[in-house]
Structure formats: C-alpha cells, structure tokens
C-alpha cells in the first residue's frame, strides 16, 4: 500500500503524477479509435473486430516495453527520434524519422479536431433539435484546437487536471455502456457467426485499426515532467494500454451484439452511438450520451497529443533537424512556438476538407515508428537489459502490419496509397534540402 501511495505523491508542484500519466495515456489512445474507426474496423473484420483490437493491443504492449527500456536507459524524452540517434551514424536518418512523426501527429490531431466539430453539430441536433449549418464544423474544429493551445501554454498543472477529469469520465461512460449493452442484449441481432468476414479477417483488421492505439508513446515525451519517472512511467503506460484494450474489446463486442457489420458501417462515424441506441434501457438517451462522450474523448485526444508533440518538436529542433525557433521555451519551460505552430497546422488541416488521406498516412507512420523502436531495442537488448523475445515479437507484429495496410490500400483505394507515398517522398525532399544539422543548447544560447 505504501509503495502504491508513493506513486501518487508529488514532491514538487508542476510535476505529473500517476493519475495524470494514466489519464494522458488513455486520452491519447481512446480518442478517435472507438468512435470514428469502429465502422471501418467492422467493414474489415466483421463480428471478429474484438479480436482485431485485442491483437493490436498485445502488439502495443510489446512495443511499450521497448519504449520504456530505451527511454529509461537513455534518460531522454525524444522517443523514437532519440533512439535512432543513438544507433545510427547518419543524423539524416533520425531527422527523417522526426519529420515523419511530426506530420503524423498533426494528421492525428486534425482527425480529432475534425471529429469534434462533426460531433458538435450532431449534438446540437440530437440534444436541442437545432440543425446547424455545415460551415460551422470547421469553425468548431479551429476553436477547440485554439482552446487547447491556450491551456497548454498555461502549464502542466492545468493540463494534468483537465486530463484527470475528462479521461476518467470517459472511461466510466464507455465501460458502463459496454456492460449495459452486454447485460441487456435481447438477441435481436445474431453475432454467432463470429468470423463473418473470414477466419483471417481479424489479422487484416488489426493492421487497419492499429492507429487506435497510437498515443501511449506520447508519455515518453513528457519524461522530464513526470514525478519519480522510473517507477511512475512504466506503471502509468502499462495501465493506460490495459485500460484501452479493455475499452476497445468490450465496447466493440457490445456493438456486434446490437448491429450487424453492414449496419455499423452504414452509420460510419456515429456507428457506436447507433449501436448504443439499440440497447433497450438506453434508446435515444444512449445515442446522446455517446455523442457527448465522443466530444469529450476527441477533445482530450487533442490535448494529450498536443502536449506531448510540442515537446517532441522542441527536442528535434535542438538537435538541428528542425528550425531553431521551435526550441524556444518561455520562463515556465513551455515550448511556445512549437505549441503555436503545431496548433496552427492542426487547425488548418482540420478546417480544410477531408482528412482521410492524412489519417491513413498516420497509420503507416506510426507502424513504422513502432517497428523501428522494437528493432532498436532488439539491437540494444544487452545494453537496456531487455528480454530479446519481447522486442522480437513486437517487431514481427508491426512488420507484418505495414504490408497488410499497404496491400489493403492497393486493393481498395490506389489513390490514397499514392498520396501516402507522395507524402513520404515530400518529407524526404524537405529533409534533404534542410541543411542545418548542428545540435545546440537553447538555454545556453538564450543566456548569451
């Protein structure tokens, strides 16, 4: 008991404790993964979608092991960017990884902001009976991003407090809906044909929805802000992933009990809300509850991702891989320019048209980063005191998922596949043309 209590205490104000770490981990993962991606997952895996979420979750746990071992060994908050820096002699390789991650995170945050705007319009119609014009959707997206940029500029305490409240409410709501949906299943929709899309469908499905677990690695970017980091970070990260797995598996299973895969796919972004509306004891009230929960979830996803990504950008810029302006911190240690620019790019993407291509790129980008992390830890297993089997299994899982995603896009949407490849080429050219490569200490330069 005393050991657990020590994880909750903080010696200094402004530090993140265990509750904040868990909240930010869950907030980073369970944001769009169950609300917006469920329909896509059902289209691929059918009634076996809970298995897809479970497989993806297990591979995420394996990858988290590598993230923790490498982060605690090097004592840095740069994530896979720092890992690559330590194992390759060419700084361009690490810089390219950094650029890919930054663009991937912008796409993920824009997806959350886009979804928040859409859910806001749906909430106005479902709760108040007001049909707001569609041109307000991008305005809502911009406002929510601007709000969280301001919140993060105020400091760590306000951010952690918001996550504590927002995420734990979300966890309670989603798990409660899963239990109610399973307990009050009336047999009106039959899910006995578990492998409705074929026995291998869960394998394909997990690769497509892997982006649902993107977000746990954001915690390593907050390395310097976590109290008792060597104990709190591992417990918080594993707990957050376990909670995410429980939510994804239970909620998706509940959804298969109340709607067929065809019905869930037909309702697209509001698939979960539609499934909950078929629970006898909830009905229309359940639909409204999910819509409001979705707004809370996507907003917390923006917050957690923005908080961690701004620190990643700061780290990369101090290594000379991004313009030095991003390395500036104010007197409270907040990376101001990184926050403002990341927020501005996110708002722009969210406001300008469809984000489908960017979201698909994000899936590939994070699968690549997870594969690189597992490979790096496998190479350094002796140094990091790691069990080689864990990163090896993680590398196999992420390595298999990448060609599955690309082949799926080849069969279903070649245009998006070409668009994704085009982004990778563009990033490579930007990195190749960016000539500044000397690392520096921004604090030393600002003192001079």
């Amino acid at each position: 008991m005393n050991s657990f209590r020590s994880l909750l205490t903080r010696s200094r104000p402004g530090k993140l404790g265990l509750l904040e770490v868990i909240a930010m981990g869950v907030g980073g993962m369970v944001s769009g993964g169950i609300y917006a991606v469920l329909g896509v997952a059902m289209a691929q895996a059918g009634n076996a979608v809970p298995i897809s979420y479970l497989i993806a979750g297990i591979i995420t746990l394996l990858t988290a092991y590598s993230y923790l071992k490498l982060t605690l060994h090097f004592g840095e908050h740069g994530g896979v960017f720092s890992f690559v820096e330590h194992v390759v002699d060419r700084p361009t390789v690490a810089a390219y990884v950094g650029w890919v991650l930054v663009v991937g995170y912008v796409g993920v945050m824009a997806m959350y902001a886009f979804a928040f705007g859409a859910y806001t319009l749906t909430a106005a119609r479902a709760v108040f009976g007001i049909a707001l014009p569609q041109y307000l959707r991008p305005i809502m997206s911009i406002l929510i991003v601007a709000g969280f940029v301001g919140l993060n500029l105020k400091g760590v305490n306000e951010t952690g407090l918001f996550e504590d409240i927002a995420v734990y409410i979300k966890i309670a709501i989603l798990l409660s809906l899963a239990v109610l949906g399973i307990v009050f299943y009336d047999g009106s929709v039959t899910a006995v044909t578990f492998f409705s899309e074929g026995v291998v469908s869960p394998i394909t499905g997990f690769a497509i929805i892997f982006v649902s677990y993107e977000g746990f690695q954001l915690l390593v970017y907050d390395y310097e802000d976590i109290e008792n980091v060597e104990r709190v970070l591992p417990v918080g990260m594993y707990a957050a992933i376990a909670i995410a797995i429980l939510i994804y598996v239970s909620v998706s299973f509940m959804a298969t009990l109340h709607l067929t895969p065809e019905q869930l796919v037909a309702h697209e972004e509001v698939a979960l809300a539609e499934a909950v509306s078929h629970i006898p004891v909830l009905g229309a009230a359940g639909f409204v509850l999910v819509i409001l929960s979705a707004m809370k979830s996507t907003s917390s996803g923006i917050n957690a991702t923005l908080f961690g990504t701004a620190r990643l950008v700061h780290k990369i810029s101090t290594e000379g891989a991004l313009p030095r302006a991003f390395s500036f911190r104010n007197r409270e240690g907040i990376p101001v320019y990184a926050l403002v620019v990341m927020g501005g790019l996110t708002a722009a993407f969210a406001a300008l048209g469809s984000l489908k291509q960017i979201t698909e790129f994000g899936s590939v980008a994070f699968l690549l980063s997870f594969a690189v992390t597992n490979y790096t830890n496998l190479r350094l297993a002796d140094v990091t005191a790691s069990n080689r089997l864990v990163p090896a299994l993680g590398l196999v899982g992420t390595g298999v998922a990448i060609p599955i995603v690309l082949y799926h896009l080849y069969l279903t949407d070649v245009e998006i596949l070409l668009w994704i490849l085009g982004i990778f080429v563009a990033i490579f050219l930007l990195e190749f043309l960016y000539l500044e490569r000397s690392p520096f200490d921004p604090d030393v330069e600002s003192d001079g």
Side-chain angles (χ1 to χ4, degrees):
M1 181 62 69
N2 290 333
S3 178
F4 178 74
R5 187 179 295 114
S6 67
L7 295 175
L8 302 178
T9 59
R10 285 178 286 181
S11 61
R12 289 179 294 169
K15 286 288 187 176
L16 296 171
L18 180 61
L19 293 179
E20 288 88 356
V21 169
I22 293 175
M24 296 193 72
V26 175
M29 286 181 285
V30 188
S31 301
I34 200 66
Y35 296 103
V37 182
L38 181 59
V40 177
M42 287 292 290
Q44 188 61 46
N47 289 327
V49 67
I51 297 181
S52 295
Y53 278 115
L54 180 59
I55 295 173
I58 292 173
I59 295 176
T60 301
L61 283 172
L62 296 172
T63 304
Y65 176 86
S66 292
Y67 264 97
L68 287 168
K69 286 291 187 179
L70 291 166
T71 298
L72 295 177
H73 172 71
F74 292 122
E76 296 179 358
H77 63 275
V80 65
F81 170 76
S82 291
F83 306 156
V84 174
E85 272 193 315
H86 287 286
V87 297
V88 298
D89 296 328
R90 300 177 60 186
T92 301
V93 176
Y96 180 73
V97 172
W99 282 73
V100 169
L101 282 176
V102 170
V103 175
Y105 283 127
V106 168
V108 169
M109 288 189 292
M111 180 186 72
Y112 295 156
F114 187 94
F116 178 87
Y119 283 125
T120 300
L121 300 188
T122 303
R125 183 173 64 254
V127 178
F128 303 105
I130 302 175
L132 297 176
Q134 283 298 317
Y135 66 77
L136 289 180
R137 198 283 307 160
I139 295 178
M140 296 294 181
S141 298
I142 293 173
L143 289 177
I144 191 64
V145 173
F148 282 118
V149 168
L151 182 65
N152 277 269
L153 287 174
K154 287 186 177 181
V156 173
N157 275 336
E158 291 83 354
T159 301
L161 177 62
F162 180 87
E163 285 303 312
D164 279 349
I165 298 172
V167 177
Y168 289 117
I169 290 176
K170 172 177 63 179
I171 293 172
I173 290 175
L174 288 173
L175 291 180
S176 297
L177 291 175
V179 171
L180 288 173
I182 294 172
V183 171
F184 290 96
Y185 169 56
D186 59 8
S188 58
V189 175
T190 301
V192 292
T193 309
F194 199 69
F195 296 101
S196 56
E197 300 297 323
V199 178
V200 299
S201 61
I203 304 298
T204 307
F206 102 80
I208 302 302
I209 65 170
F210 201 82
V211 69
S212 299
Y213 286 98
E214 178 281 321
F216 78 90
Q217 78 283 3
L218 291 171
L219 294 174
V220 304
Y221 305 146
D222 307 321
Y223 179 87
E224 297 176 351
D225 297 315
I226 297 175
E227 178 75 20
N228 192 9
V229 65
E230 292 187 357
R231 296 186 60 201
V232 172
L233 181 59
V235 174
M237 183 177 291
Y238 286 133
I241 296 172
I243 292 171
I245 293 174
L246 178 61
I247 291 174
Y248 285 142
V249 173
S250 61
V251 171
S252 61
F253 177 69
M254 177 275 295
T256 65
L257 296 179
H258 294 276
L259 288 179
T260 65
E262 292 75 20
Q263 289 173 315
L264 283 171
V265 173
H267 290 94
E268 297 179 344
E269 290 186 358
V270 295
L272 179 58
E274 189 65 26
V276 170
S277 69
H278 283 70
I279 300 176
V281 295
L282 294 178
F287 182 89
V288 173
L289 180 62
V290 171
I291 293 299
L292 297 179
S293 175
M295 294 173 61
K296 179 69 72 176
S297 184
T298 51
S299 63
S300 65
I302 296 170
N303 186 40
T305 308
L306 184 64
F307 183 70
T309 305
R311 283 150 180 78
L312 169 66
V313 172
H314 173 271
K315 168 67 177 177
I316 296 175
S317 65
T318 59
E319 298 297 328
L322 286 174
R324 291 193 177 188
F326 293 122
S327 66
F328 171 76
R329 288 179 183 249
N330 62 14
R331 293 181 178 178
E332 288 73 35
I334 306 299
V336 176
Y337 295 148
L339 276 171
V340 172
V341 172
M342 292 292 290
L345 289 174
T346 299
F349 276 118
L352 299 175
S354 172
L355 297 175
K356 183 178 180 181
Q357 295 93 337
I358 298 176
T359 303
E360 293 288 352
F361 167 76
S363 299
V364 178
F366 292 117
L367 278 170
L368 282 171
S369 71
F370 292 172
V372 170
T373 300
N374 284 308
Y375 171 75
T376 303
N377 193 36
L378 185 60
R379 280 190 57 183
L380 302 178
D382 293 335
V383 178
T384 61
S386 297
N387 184 330
R388 290 182 180 274
L389 179 62
V390 180
L393 290 175
L395 179 59
V396 170
T398 51
V400 168
I402 294 172
I404 289 178
V405 172
L406 296 178
Y407 185 66
H408 171 76
L409 291 175
Y410 173 75
L411 293 178
T412 60
D413 202 324
V414 176
E415 181 180 347
I416 292 182
L417 176 60
L418 294 175
W419 191 87
I420 291 176
L421 294 176
I423 290 182
F424 277 108
V425 172
I427 293 175
F428 176 80
L429 292 176
L430 284 173
E431 165 57 25
F432 180 77
L433 294 174
Y434 186 71
L435 300 179
E436 186 175 11
R437 280 290 171 271
S438 56
F440 66 98
D441 187 339
D443 297 324
V444 173
E445 290 208 352
S446 62
D447 292 340

